[in-house]
Amino acid sequence: MIRSVVRGTGAALPRRIMKNADFEGMVETSDEWIAQRTGIRQRHIAADDETTASLGEAAARAALDSAGLTPADIDLIVLATSTPNNTFPATAVEIQNRLGMHHGFAFDMQAVCSGFVYAVTTADLYIKGGLAKRVLVIGSETFSRILDWSDRSTCVLFGDGAGALVLEADEGTGTIADRGVLAMSLRSDGAHKDKLFVDGGPSTTGTVGHLRMEGREVFKHAVGMITDVIEATFSQAGITAADLDWFVPHQANKRIIDASAKKLGIAEQKVVVTVDLHGNTSAASVPLALSVAVADGRIKKGDLVLLEAMGGGFTWGAVLVRW
Ligand SMILES: CC(C)(COP(=O)(O)OP(=O)(O)OC[C@H]1O[C@@H](n2cnc3c(N)ncnc32)[C@H](O)[C@@H]1OP(=O)(O)O)[C@@H](O)C(=O)NCCC(=O)NCCS
């Protein structure tokens, strides 16, 4: 059976770090409120010359380096983003060009904060379907461009950045002892649109718009939705939380991460947390967290790793990978 095995990871962050205290003169808030309610201490904010394409390109190059590959080895680029450089063409195609890649194909995926989880499952199916052998899966965002910087309930929560994986086709035995993507569960429900959305777009206002969120409502649904898809993934693979080596959740809020891990019975020391460093970077948050845990030696070859995300739509999903 064909498996999509992780060959490399990479990340890229804007140069500028914005600390919680930097908001204190801009909106009525405090370092203490932000840290206590969200776990966030800082986030990176893109300068004018740093875009979703440039950050995505840098993360992709880092992932290729760590895999010992070059753009010539890649057949497909899947970019998860809700903040493309332009309405079209797809930013994935721009990244393809920046990498000097003029073969294969590239496209964007839009599932907001669940984008990277959707992109990994999509790449896995292209590999299993025989359309691609090596795929660059990228999550890259510049949410700072769509924030209302006068709205304290949203502007303190998000940050910019990018992360990437290289997935490669490999022969597996069809058991969960295989390396690669092993199980997945995806969901969406548009009935929740008004709880987290951007109030502009090409076909409605003709503008880019700003992020709007009923934070308490999102919070209320998050833990139940996250644990549902994770339990579906566990049952597909025939495992329990005790079998996991690492849980790499979407990094939106430390309280949501803690509550989900607790409900699932995942031990605290197995949870990778980077929300304190990056804030919520939407589709980039899971690959950024993965890159940190791979770089510091926590995630190693053979480890069983669970990825999870939930975001606007609502969309939500989980993927189980043996590293
Ligand atoms: C946004 C969030 C941190 C707010 O925390 P909360 O404990 O739910 O706080 P509430 O929304 O109940 O607001 C409590 C008070 O803090 C205020 N507040 C909101 N943002 C604030 C800020 N940055 N600084 C200080 N006070 C703030 C609110 O106005 C409210 O004041 P009020 O009681 O006078 O009306 C929390 O709801 C959350 O994280 N939700 C999920 C958001 C998320 O993860 N979204 C992305 C999913 S991909």
Side-chain angles (χ1 to χ4, degrees):
M1 156 170 206
I2 296 174
R3 293 290 194 188
S4 308
V5 174
V6 179
R7 290 291 182 219
T9 55
L13 289 160
R15 296 179 292 273
R16 178 178 162 221
I17 292 176
M18 189 170 179
K19 304 264 187 196
N20 289 349
D22 298 333
F23 284 93
E24 287 176 4
M26 295 168 52
V27 288
E28 210 182 316
T29 191
S30 64
D31 173 33
E32 194 195 353
W33 191 96
I34 301 168
Q36 230 174 48
R37 300 289 179 115
T38 70
I40 299 167
R41 299 202 168 270
Q42 62 174 47
R43 72 288 291 140
H44 290 247
I45 301 293
D48 289 348
D49 65 337
E50 293 170 316
T51 65
T52 295
S54 74
L55 294 167
E57 177 199 356
R61 287 190 185 280
L64 285 169
D65 280 352
S66 85
L69 298 171
T70 71
D73 300 312
I74 299 297
D75 317 300
L76 165 63
I77 299 173
V78 185
L79 170 69
T81 190
S82 297
T83 46
N85 272 38
N86 297 88
T87 302
F88 77 79
T91 302
V93 176
E94 187 168 340
I95 293 174
Q96 180 189 21
N97 188 46
R98 282 167 171 264
L99 292 173
M101 211 181 124
H102 303 288
H103 63 278
F105 61 115
F107 59 85
D108 288 0
M109 296 202 66
Q110 220 280 42
V112 203
C113 297
S114 310
F116 191 76
V117 166
Y118 273 59
V120 168
T121 61
T122 302
D124 178 52
L125 294 174
Y126 272 88
I127 287 173
K128 288 200 171 110
L131 269 81
K133 278 205 159 49
R134 293 198 194 95
V135 185
L136 256 174
V137 190
I138 308 168
S140 184
E141 301 279 17
T142 44
F143 260 51
S144 62
R145 313 271 210 254
I146 55 164
L147 294 176
D148 174 350
W149 286 91
S150 66
D151 174 11
R152 69 175 181 175
S153 72
T154 54
C155 72
V156 302
L157 302 176
F158 295 89
D160 302 332
L165 290 185
V166 179
L167 288 179
E168 184 179 49
D170 200 1
E171 212 38 64
T173 60
T175 72
I176 67 145
D178 289 346
R179 291 186 65 207
V181 176
L182 300 175
M184 56 185 82
S185 177
L186 297 181
R187 289 294 319 277
S188 66
D189 184 353
H192 300 285
K193 178 191 168 189
D194 293 345
K195 299 182 182 86
L196 176 49
F197 67 106
V198 169
D199 63 4
S203 185
T204 49
T205 58
T207 63
V208 171
H210 291 110
L211 183 148
R212 306 291 172 204
M213 178 168 71
E214 293 174 34
R216 218 173 305 187
E217 283 297 311
V218 177
F219 203 112
K220 218 167 70 186
H221 288 83
V223 178
M225 289 177 158
I226 288 164
T227 51
D228 277 357
V229 281
I230 291 174
E231 276 160 3
T233 309
F234 283 173
S235 98
Q236 258 180 56
I239 64 157
T240 69
D243 298 310
L244 286 182
D245 293 297
W246 298 106
F247 177 41
V248 186
H250 173 47
Q251 307 286 321
N253 184 312
K254 179 72 163 56
R255 285 154 62 211
I256 297 176
I257 294 173
D258 290 347
S260 307
K262 191 168 170 210
K263 192 166 171 204
L264 290 157
I266 300 173
E268 206 183 324
Q269 63 271 21
K270 292 183 178 179
V271 185
V272 175
V273 177
T274 51
V275 70
D276 52 332
L277 301 174
H278 304 148
N280 181 348
T281 56
S282 194
S285 97
V286 169
L288 271 171
L290 274 174
S291 297
V292 168
V294 169
D296 68 19
R298 273 179 287 175
I299 297 180
K300 295 180 295 296
K301 197 172 164 180
D303 283 354
L304 198 53
V305 182
L306 177 72
L307 317 181
E308 158 277 306
M310 184 252 177
F314 291 149
T315 55
W316 63 109
V319 182
L320 185 71
V321 185
R322 188 173 297 283
W323 214 254

mmCIF file of all heavy atoms in Angstrom, residues 109-134:
data_model
loop_
_atom_site.group_PDB
_atom_site.id
_atom_site.type_symbol
_atom_site.label_atom_id
_atom_site.label_comp_id
_atom_site.label_asym_id
_atom_site.label_seq_id
_atom_site.Cartn_x
_atom_site.Cartn_y
_atom_site.Cartn_z
ATOM 1 N N MET A 109 -5.579 26.007 -1.031
ATOM 2 C CA MET A 109 -6.736 25.439 -0.350
ATOM 3 C C MET A 109 -7.180 26.426 0.703
ATOM 4 O O MET A 109 -6.346 27.046 1.358
ATOM 5 C CB MET A 109 -6.368 24.149 0.363
ATOM 6 C CG MET A 109 -5.953 23.080 -0.575
ATOM 7 S SD MET A 109 -6.155 21.474 0.194
ATOM 8 C CE MET A 109 -7.909 21.397 0.356
ATOM 9 N N GLN A 110 -8.486 26.516 0.888
ATOM 10 C CA GLN A 110 -9.016 27.507 1.811
ATOM 11 C C GLN A 110 -9.925 26.823 2.806
ATOM 12 O O GLN A 110 -11.072 26.523 2.498
ATOM 13 C CB GLN A 110 -9.810 28.538 0.993
ATOM 14 C CG GLN A 110 -9.616 29.950 1.440
ATOM 15 C CD GLN A 110 -10.456 30.295 2.648
ATOM 16 O OE1 GLN A 110 -10.585 29.521 3.583
ATOM 17 N NE2 GLN A 110 -11.015 31.485 2.633
ATOM 18 N N ALA A 111 -9.414 26.522 3.971
ATOM 19 C CA ALA A 111 -10.252 25.979 5.043
ATOM 20 C C ALA A 111 -9.899 26.705 6.342
ATOM 21 O O ALA A 111 -9.981 26.135 7.425
ATOM 22 C CB ALA A 111 -10.073 24.472 5.170
ATOM 23 N N VAL A 112 -9.466 27.955 6.200
ATOM 24 C CA VAL A 112 -9.062 28.828 7.311
ATOM 25 C C VAL A 112 -8.077 28.077 8.232
ATOM 26 O O VAL A 112 -7.129 27.493 7.727
ATOM 27 C CB VAL A 112 -10.290 29.426 8.032
ATOM 28 C CG1 VAL A 112 -9.892 30.717 8.757
ATOM 29 C CG2 VAL A 112 -11.407 29.766 7.038
ATOM 30 N N CYS A 113 -8.340 28.065 9.535
ATOM 31 C CA CYS A 113 -7.344 27.496 10.459
ATOM 32 C C CYS A 113 -7.174 25.992 10.274
ATOM 33 O O CYS A 113 -6.160 25.429 10.680
ATOM 34 C CB CYS A 113 -7.698 27.830 11.898
ATOM 35 S SG CYS A 113 -7.673 29.602 12.212
ATOM 36 N N SER A 114 -8.170 25.325 9.663
ATOM 37 C CA SER A 114 -8.037 23.882 9.398
ATOM 38 C C SER A 114 -7.312 23.624 8.079
ATOM 39 O O SER A 114 -7.164 22.471 7.671
ATOM 40 C CB SER A 114 -9.414 23.218 9.320
ATOM 41 O OG SER A 114 -10.201 23.566 10.422
ATOM 42 N N GLY A 115 -6.884 24.676 7.407
ATOM 43 C CA GLY A 115 -6.328 24.559 6.055
ATOM 44 C C GLY A 115 -5.193 23.558 5.940
ATOM 45 O O GLY A 115 -5.147 22.775 4.983
ATOM 46 N N PHE A 116 -4.288 23.559 6.911
ATOM 47 C CA PHE A 116 -3.134 22.669 6.783
ATOM 48 C C PHE A 116 -3.548 21.203 6.921
ATOM 49 O O PHE A 116 -3.044 20.330 6.211
ATOM 50 C CB PHE A 116 -2.045 23.017 7.806
ATOM 51 C CG PHE A 116 -0.754 22.310 7.530
ATOM 52 C CD1 PHE A 116 0.077 22.723 6.505
ATOM 53 C CD2 PHE A 116 -0.382 21.198 8.271
ATOM 54 C CE1 PHE A 116 1.260 22.047 6.214
ATOM 55 C CE2 PHE A 116 0.797 20.524 7.994
ATOM 56 C CZ PHE A 116 1.625 20.946 6.970
ATOM 57 N N VAL A 117 -4.478 20.937 7.819
ATOM 58 C CA VAL A 117 -4.975 19.568 7.987
ATOM 59 C C VAL A 117 -5.688 19.118 6.699
ATOM 60 O O VAL A 117 -5.471 18.000 6.212
ATOM 61 C CB VAL A 117 -5.906 19.494 9.225
ATOM 62 C CG1 VAL A 117 -6.709 18.215 9.244
ATOM 63 C CG2 VAL A 117 -5.074 19.605 10.508
ATOM 64 N N TYR A 118 -6.489 19.998 6.117
ATOM 65 C CA TYR A 118 -7.127 19.690 4.826
ATOM 66 C C TYR A 118 -6.057 19.452 3.739
ATOM 67 O O TYR A 118 -6.195 18.575 2.898
ATOM 68 C CB TYR A 118 -8.031 20.843 4.387
ATOM 69 C CG TYR A 118 -9.460 20.809 4.899
ATOM 70 C CD1 TYR A 118 -9.754 20.808 6.262
ATOM 71 C CD2 TYR A 118 -10.537 20.806 4.013
ATOM 72 C CE1 TYR A 118 -11.064 20.801 6.718
ATOM 73 C CE2 TYR A 118 -11.855 20.803 4.465
ATOM 74 C CZ TYR A 118 -12.110 20.800 5.812
ATOM 75 O OH TYR A 118 -13.415 20.800 6.255
ATOM 76 N N ALA A 119 -5.009 20.280 3.756
ATOM 77 C CA ALA A 119 -3.972 20.189 2.715
ATOM 78 C C ALA A 119 -3.176 18.884 2.825
ATOM 79 O O ALA A 119 -2.844 18.276 1.809
ATOM 80 C CB ALA A 119 -3.041 21.396 2.798
ATOM 81 N N VAL A 120 -2.889 18.452 4.056
ATOM 82 C CA VAL A 120 -2.157 17.184 4.237
ATOM 83 C C VAL A 120 -3.010 16.017 3.728
ATOM 84 O O VAL A 120 -2.512 15.129 3.030
ATOM 85 C CB VAL A 120 -1.763 16.973 5.723
ATOM 86 C CG1 VAL A 120 -1.269 15.548 5.961
ATOM 87 C CG2 VAL A 120 -0.691 17.973 6.138
ATOM 88 N N THR A 121 -4.310 16.035 4.041
ATOM 89 C CA THR A 121 -5.167 14.929 3.569
ATOM 90 C C THR A 121 -5.267 14.964 2.043
ATOM 91 O O THR A 121 -5.255 13.915 1.397
ATOM 92 C CB THR A 121 -6.585 14.993 4.189
ATOM 93 O OG1 THR A 121 -7.198 16.203 3.796
ATOM 94 C CG2 THR A 121 -6.553 14.911 5.693
ATOM 95 N N THR A 122 -5.341 16.164 1.467
ATOM 96 C CA THR A 122 -5.423 16.288 0.004
ATOM 97 C C THR A 122 -4.150 15.762 -0.646
ATOM 98 O O THR A 122 -4.198 14.972 -1.601
ATOM 99 C CB THR A 122 -5.657 17.764 -0.377
ATOM 100 O OG1 THR A 122 -6.846 18.205 0.258
ATOM 101 C CG2 THR A 122 -5.769 17.948 -1.887
ATOM 102 N N ALA A 123 -3.002 16.190 -0.119
ATOM 103 C CA ALA A 123 -1.722 15.733 -0.669
ATOM 104 C C ALA A 123 -1.622 14.210 -0.571
ATOM 105 O O ALA A 123 -1.181 13.548 -1.514
ATOM 106 C CB ALA A 123 -0.575 16.391 0.101
ATOM 107 N N ASP A 124 -2.062 13.663 0.562
ATOM 108 C CA ASP A 124 -2.020 12.207 0.764
ATOM 109 C C ASP A 124 -2.841 11.497 -0.320
ATOM 110 O O ASP A 124 -2.404 10.482 -0.878
ATOM 111 C CB ASP A 124 -2.559 11.880 2.166
ATOM 112 C CG ASP A 124 -2.585 10.387 2.431
ATOM 113 O OD1 ASP A 124 -1.549 9.735 2.238
ATOM 114 O OD2 ASP A 124 -3.652 9.869 2.835
ATOM 115 N N LEU A 125 -4.010 12.052 -0.636
ATOM 116 C CA LEU A 125 -4.866 11.394 -1.634
ATOM 117 C C LEU A 125 -4.301 11.533 -3.052
ATOM 118 O O LEU A 125 -4.443 10.616 -3.861
ATOM 119 C CB LEU A 125 -6.295 11.934 -1.537
ATOM 120 C CG LEU A 125 -6.978 11.572 -0.198
ATOM 121 C CD1 LEU A 125 -8.329 12.254 -0.080
ATOM 122 C CD2 LEU A 125 -7.135 10.070 -0.020
ATOM 123 N N TYR A 126 -3.646 12.662 -3.365
ATOM 124 C CA TYR A 126 -2.983 12.801 -4.668
ATOM 125 C C TYR A 126 -1.847 11.783 -4.788
ATOM 126 O O TYR A 126 -1.636 11.193 -5.846
ATOM 127 C CB TYR A 126 -2.434 14.224 -4.864
ATOM 128 C CG TYR A 126 -3.456 15.174 -5.465
ATOM 129 C CD1 TYR A 126 -4.332 15.884 -4.660
ATOM 130 C CD2 TYR A 126 -3.548 15.338 -6.847
ATOM 131 C CE1 TYR A 126 -5.279 16.736 -5.205
ATOM 132 C CE2 TYR A 126 -4.483 16.199 -7.412
ATOM 133 C CZ TYR A 126 -5.344 16.895 -6.574
ATOM 134 O OH TYR A 126 -6.279 17.730 -7.119
ATOM 135 N N ILE A 127 -1.121 11.587 -3.677
ATOM 136 C CA ILE A 127 -0.020 10.606 -3.691
ATOM 137 C C ILE A 127 -0.593 9.197 -3.853
ATOM 138 O O ILE A 127 -0.149 8.424 -4.706
ATOM 139 C CB ILE A 127 0.837 10.737 -2.405
ATOM 140 C CG1 ILE A 127 1.681 12.021 -2.479
ATOM 141 C CG2 ILE A 127 1.727 9.509 -2.202
ATOM 142 C CD1 ILE A 127 2.434 12.367 -1.212
ATOM 143 N N LYS A 128 -1.626 8.885 -3.057
ATOM 144 C CA LYS A 128 -2.208 7.527 -3.136
ATOM 145 C C LYS A 128 -2.860 7.282 -4.494
ATOM 146 O O LYS A 128 -2.898 6.156 -4.979
ATOM 147 C CB LYS A 128 -3.236 7.340 -2.017
ATOM 148 C CG LYS A 128 -2.574 7.219 -0.650
ATOM 149 C CD LYS A 128 -3.501 6.566 0.364
ATOM 150 C CE LYS A 128 -2.760 6.249 1.641
ATOM 151 N NZ LYS A 128 -3.182 7.112 2.753
ATOM 152 N N GLY A 129 -3.369 8.360 -5.123
ATOM 153 C CA GLY A 129 -3.999 8.234 -6.443
ATOM 154 C C GLY A 129 -2.986 8.177 -7.568
ATOM 155 O O GLY A 129 -3.367 8.045 -8.733
ATOM 156 N N GLY A 130 -1.706 8.346 -7.252
ATOM 157 C CA GLY A 130 -0.664 8.227 -8.265
ATOM 158 C C GLY A 130 -0.423 9.493 -9.075
ATOM 159 O O GLY A 130 0.327 9.471 -10.056
ATOM 160 N N LEU A 131 -1.042 10.617 -8.702
ATOM 161 C CA LEU A 131 -0.855 11.863 -9.454
ATOM 162 C C LEU A 131 0.407 12.611 -9.055
ATOM 163 O O LEU A 131 0.844 13.513 -9.761
ATOM 164 C CB LEU A 131 -2.069 12.790 -9.278
ATOM 165 C CG LEU A 131 -3.166 12.600 -10.329
ATOM 166 C CD1 LEU A 131 -4.039 11.420 -9.977
ATOM 167 C CD2 LEU A 131 -3.991 13.851 -10.473
ATOM 168 N N ALA A 132 0.963 12.286 -7.890
ATOM 169 C CA ALA A 132 2.181 12.966 -7.437
ATOM 170 C C ALA A 132 3.002 12.009 -6.587
ATOM 171 O O ALA A 132 2.440 11.145 -5.903
ATOM 172 C CB ALA A 132 1.810 14.199 -6.620
ATOM 173 N N LYS A 133 4.327 12.175 -6.650
ATOM 174 C CA LYS A 133 5.212 11.340 -5.820
ATOM 175 C C LYS A 133 5.753 12.120 -4.634
ATOM 176 O O LYS A 133 5.933 11.604 -3.550
ATOM 177 C CB LYS A 133 6.399 10.840 -6.660
ATOM 178 C CG LYS A 133 6.071 9.617 -7.503
ATOM 179 C CD LYS A 133 7.342 8.809 -7.807
ATOM 180 C CE LYS A 133 7.050 7.371 -8.173
ATOM 181 N NZ LYS A 133 5.992 7.242 -9.191
ATOM 182 N N ARG A 134 6.041 13.414 -4.861
ATOM 183 C CA ARG A 134 6.551 14.254 -3.771
ATOM 184 C C ARG A 134 5.790 15.569 -3.769
ATOM 185 O O ARG A 134 5.727 16.264 -4.780
ATOM 186 C CB ARG A 134 8.040 14.524 -3.933
ATOM 187 C CG ARG A 134 8.898 13.293 -3.762
ATOM 188 C CD ARG A 134 10.342 13.680 -3.508
ATOM 189 N NE ARG A 134 11.212 12.526 -3.670
ATOM 190 C CZ ARG A 134 11.859 12.235 -4.793
ATOM 191 N NH1 ARG A 134 11.763 13.028 -5.841
ATOM 192 N NH2 ARG A 134 12.624 11.166 -4.858
#
